[in-house]
Amino acid sequence: MAEISFSGLGGGVKFSDIIDKLVEVARAPIKTLEAKKANYQDKITLYQDLNTKLLAFRTRVNGMNMPSEFTVRSAASSDTTKVTAAATGTAATGTHTISIAQLAKVEQETHSGTSSKTASLTASDAVFQYTYAGTQRSLTVTAGTSLEGLVDQINGDSSNPGVTASILDDGSGSSTAYHLVLSGKDTGYTKTISIDSGTTLSGYTSAAFTQTQGATGSVVGVNGYQSPQAEIETHSGSGVTDSSTVVNNSGSSKAFEFTYGGTTYSVSVANGTTLSGLVTAINTAAGGKVTASVYNTNQLRLTGAEPGLSRTIAVTSNTTLDGTSSTIDFRSSTFTQTQGAQGIERSTNAVSDVVTGVTFNLGATTSSSVSVTVSTDTSAVAKKIKDFVTDYNDLVKYILENSAYDAATKTAGGLLGEQPAANVLKQVRNIVTSQIPNLSDTYTALSQIGITTGSDGLLVVDDSKLTTALGQDYESVAALFVDNGTTDGVAHQLSTTLDNLTSIVDGPVHLRKEYYTDQITEIDEQIARKEVEIEKYELSLKIQYAAVESLLSGLNAQGSYMSTQLGFMLKS
């Protein structure tokens, strides 16, 4: 339909203004609905904010509703340069002693060096291959790559298993001043680095690298248990007079083989080798991991380099120095464990699973035991209780302020008359202010430890009384809050209640928000229907008043014609 407009020729009457006023009157119910909708939206916002405060309070009580969560322990070391410690609420109070025989370290492999870090390492494409912690990587080193470029390539490799490359300038200015250093990411015996046989980059094969630091785990003894010590195996000396005694006179080479810490060492013992020569051969093969020596002039002794339960020495069945064919018998049965391998081994310097709830952070080895004392941190517990009171007051104050009526301004809070909000307040208050059922300890209510309700309905803490209670009977204070198996403390009761109050299935706050959301949806539908009705009403008004204007306009035209004719008649 074409737009209906008014010319204003209907006797000077502005019909468009009349229609606007009539439509405005017709829209009054919509304005009422919009005001109601805004009110419901405000209530949804209020309940959303209430839910946020309930969730915050729930988080607070969930952090103190069990003995291990309520309790705060502190751990003090007698020598923080050797070890520091941290304790959780599961730790028992008391003093522990710890001896540290070895720190966990990462492995480092250092190249023999080159004269420049920017000059090309290779004139043609080559391969640099290495393995870290059992994962092998093969990198294609393109022609013209420098030492700096190789470092960037290793570090930028998206499949790098955990090796960091760097350049060490030894300051000598010599042809070997710049060294490629490969460092492992993690500590522990299994986090080793090897340069593998697939390497074709000239000058960078395994022979050019030296292990400047081996991958190790930490080794400790705690409370006298597993005091760290290395294993010692001593040969019987049977058939041996002194260090010059020939141990292999068979006419051919024989084998002496042993394992240490899971690694096998094989020693070829040539014909004519003496006990002294066997010692030298073992030390060469073991590379410092095991030390061979002559004990009591005629006994071979093997001593491990490292303490720890896994650092055991065992002669294997592949040993052919077996007492036959003019050889001395050095099979495993001829050795006696003089000292067993001891020491609690861990892969890192943070030892957290030896004493329940206590983490020992190792800093240096010790020559004597260090004491670590675990105690209850009552000041931290007091802060936890005060934080509980703060969050409780924040929740209660929010409900009270939004449920109040201001007589001076005659305005009511958005939660006034809202039963779900009132029930939340009632349930939370009842738990906090009531005595704990079945509790027969020194304290049975929060008021007895200095937590009371003020005239404004909020909790007040008497610091002095709380501190005294914590010092005199800590366990009874804890029982007021936690679930100790026989009684249900305030925090544990609140935890259950708040779970119910904040449930997104049938929690009262959630259901109330859903109710108002449904009401808003219904109002939107009513408004939409009324908008259609008003649009039709406005159109009908325009049609009616357009007809009136047309009629008036015609009458005006007739009157004007008659006035003109009358004027002519009078002149004649």
Side-chain angles (χ1 to χ4, degrees), residues 96-132:
H96 305 281
T97 58
I98 181 169
S99 53
I100 306 167
Q102 180 174 284
L103 294 178
K105 296 178 182 178
V106 300
E107 181 148 326
Q108 289 185 333
E109 296 284 336
T110 303
H111 183 257
S112 56
T114 188
S115 60
S116 171
K117 60 182 178 180
T118 57
S120 172
L121 296 178
T122 178
S124 59
D125 290 356
V127 174
F128 181 69
Q129 186 183 73
Y130 70 93
T131 295
Y132 175 67

Side-chain angles (χ1 to χ4, degrees), residues 404-441:
Y405 178 77
D406 189 333
T409 61
K410 297 183 179 180
T411 56
L415 295 180
L416 182 63
E418 285 289 317
Q419 197 59 42
N423 286 339
V424 166
L425 180 60
K426 181 179 179 181
Q427 289 184 56
V428 172
R429 265 185 172 170
N430 283 346
I431 292 172
V432 170
T433 58
S434 299
Q435 284 198 325
I436 310 301
N438 304 318
L439 192 60
S440 57
D441 290 344

Side-chain angles (χ1 to χ4, degrees), residues 65-66 431 434-439 444 478-497:
N65 65 346
M66 299 298 289
I431 292 172
S434 299
Q435 284 198 325
I436 310 301
N438 304 318
L439 192 60
T444 59
L480 287 174
F481 290 89
V482 306
D483 173 14
N484 61 13
T486 58
T487 58
D488 199 6
V490 167
H492 195 262
Q493 290 182 55
L494 283 170
S495 179
T496 302
T497 298

